[in-house]
Amino acid sequence: MIFSPLSLPSAAHAQATISIPDRTCSVVDDGAEGSLIWAQLTHYDTKAFQAAIDRCAAAGGGTVEVPAGEWMIGPIYLKSNIRFNIAKGAEVLGGTDPELFGGPEADGERIGLINIADAENVEVTGEGLIDGQGAVWWERMRALWRSDPRFATDGQARQQFPDRRPRLVLVSNSRNVALRGVTFANSPSFHLVLSDSEYVTIAGARITSPAHGPNTDAIDPTRSRHVLIADNFISVGDDAVAIKSSDPDPRYPDAISSDIVIRGNTIHASRGICIGSQTSGGVTRVLVENNVFVGSMYGFRIKTARGRGGEISDITFRNNRMTDVDVPLVFTSYYAYRPMDRREAERQAAPTGFVLGNQIWPGEDDPARPFVADSTPRISKVTVDGLEATGADWAGVATGLPESPIEGLVLRNVKVEAKKGFLLRNASVEGRPEMFTGTTGPAIITQRDGRLLSR
């Protein structure tokens, strides 16, 4: 079944509408002095930054200006009707002392360096840099992993270890928010996180961290709606975009994450544009179009699992290009981290399971389990229309559950050159084998209840 283009979200429908009063409040006027980082003379300007924000908000709103220079801060909180402008030549650096963010036991999911909470009509703009100095935080995380012998062998245990690292920008319970133009770099963990927010635009930004930076997602819309992600450059150590939805909400019976457009982005190192892995609240009406990928680990992924699943439907990937992306297409209801030792992982997966990247899939004899509402994944009505990919290792996988197969996956105008073919298990896919070329084995690999419905 192919859904009507009229049901797709549009950029006009998704994006924020911002109007900021004509008033400027410089952080310098509230005592910001800058930091001589190169001389190791560190001065925090957190209080001055917050004072400028509060003063401008109390006057009815306006632009809080951060001029050229180096500025070290702890967490700050933007308010309604504020534009936070990082001027060209300005570098806003996040402090690396955990006490600034509530101490070593603080919940990293609930605090960012830049926080926008319970607000509306807010912008972060400019040609400057916001840098989380993540390398310090990454090494602390690795030291914790090294402190317990389980983490040397168990990838799943690593992922379940409490993560105390703050986000770089955290938008929560807010609407009409825009992040434009700024370079966001080296977050301690995820860079830009939206939580319970709507009408958000992220456009023309650069979001970067080294490929080895752990869990450094670029943009994570979580439980959010009417989001436009457009014309950004992204190169990070984890997902370029990860749309998530935890816990159903009766206010949004279709899905708690919906009406999201991801358009015209250039994506280098990353793990692709993803939905999941938390999807129990549902995800619907997502349009991903005209993006260019170069050298990513993955292209498009829907990744969910038993216990984390919900309804994922009306998803369209349209007119995208990929070069040297390891695996362009992954649609799966199995999402589990493999043992760190790849040989042990492959032994556990044998004979009909497999390992892909950091994940492991069980064999095709995996038994069906009872269907549980808001827990068992349901993937349907997903269309890939217009994809060119060259230099791939594995064309992709579509693996549903025996109790919940993938339905209505349509591949149209797809050309993928890959060493390995496209694997189907518990999935019905509409397409043609000749979409996948260059494979050393079959273009379509079918396992249990995998069906290719030729168009």
Side-chain angles (χ1 to χ4, degrees), residues 11 201-205 219 228-233 261-265 291:
T201 294
I202 302 170
I219 304 170
L228 173 63
I229 300 169
D231 304 317
N232 302 288
F233 175 85
V261 176
I262 305 169
R263 171 180 292 151
N265 301 283
N291 300 282

Side-chain angles (χ1 to χ4, degrees), residues 25-108:
C25 305
S26 173
V27 296
V28 174
D29 294 339
D30 286 270
E33 299 178 7
S35 302
L36 296 175
I37 307 300
W38 59 270
Q40 297 183 341
L41 302 175
T42 300
H43 166 76
Y44 287 101
D45 281 313
T46 315
K47 290 182 178 179
F49 273 49
Q50 193 64 57
I53 294 164
D54 294 347
R55 175 169 61 90
C56 205
T63 298
V64 173
E65 186 72 18
V66 181
E70 294 176 337
W71 315 89
M72 181 88 79
I73 61 170
I76 59 173
Y77 298 82
L78 305 186
K79 297 185 176 181
S80 296
N81 305 313
I82 290 294
R83 175 186 294 119
F84 187 59
N85 189 68
I86 316 299
K88 184 176 182 179
E91 298 182 5
V92 177
L93 306 177
T96 59
D97 184 350
E99 295 300 328
L100 294 169
F101 299 89
E105 298 304 313
D107 185 349

Side-chain angles (χ1 to χ4, degrees), residues 236-258:
V236 291
D238 210 321
D239 298 334
V241 179
I243 301 169
K244 305 174 185 179
S245 69
S246 57
D247 303 324
D249 189 324
R251 296 176 298 170
Y252 309 103
D254 289 345
I256 199 168
S257 292
S258 68

Side-chain angles (χ1 to χ4, degrees), residues 16 26 64 67 80-81 106 110 112 119 162 231 245 251 280 298 373 376 391 393 424 430 443 451-452:
S26 173
V64 173
S80 296
N81 305 313
R110 298 184 181 275
D231 304 317
S245 69
R251 296 176 298 170
S280 60
Y298 301 108
T376 301
D393 181 51
L424 304 180
E430 184 177 329
R451 294 183 299 162
L452 180 69

Side-chain angles (χ1 to χ4, degrees), residues 337-349:
Y337 279 81
R338 66 172 174 84
M340 301 303 295
D341 186 321
R342 187 177 183 89
R343 288 174 296 182
E344 172 59 20
E346 291 173 343
R347 186 193 67 78
Q348 291 183 17

Side-chain angles (χ1 to χ4, degrees), residues 301-321:
R301 281 199 296 172
I302 295 177
K303 52 174 184 173
T304 183
R306 292 174 174 126
R308 314 190 99 187
E311 186 78 33
I312 302 170
S313 66
D314 287 0
I315 313 296
T316 294
F317 303 94
R318 187 167 65 194
N319 298 334
N320 297 278
R321 291 187 292 118

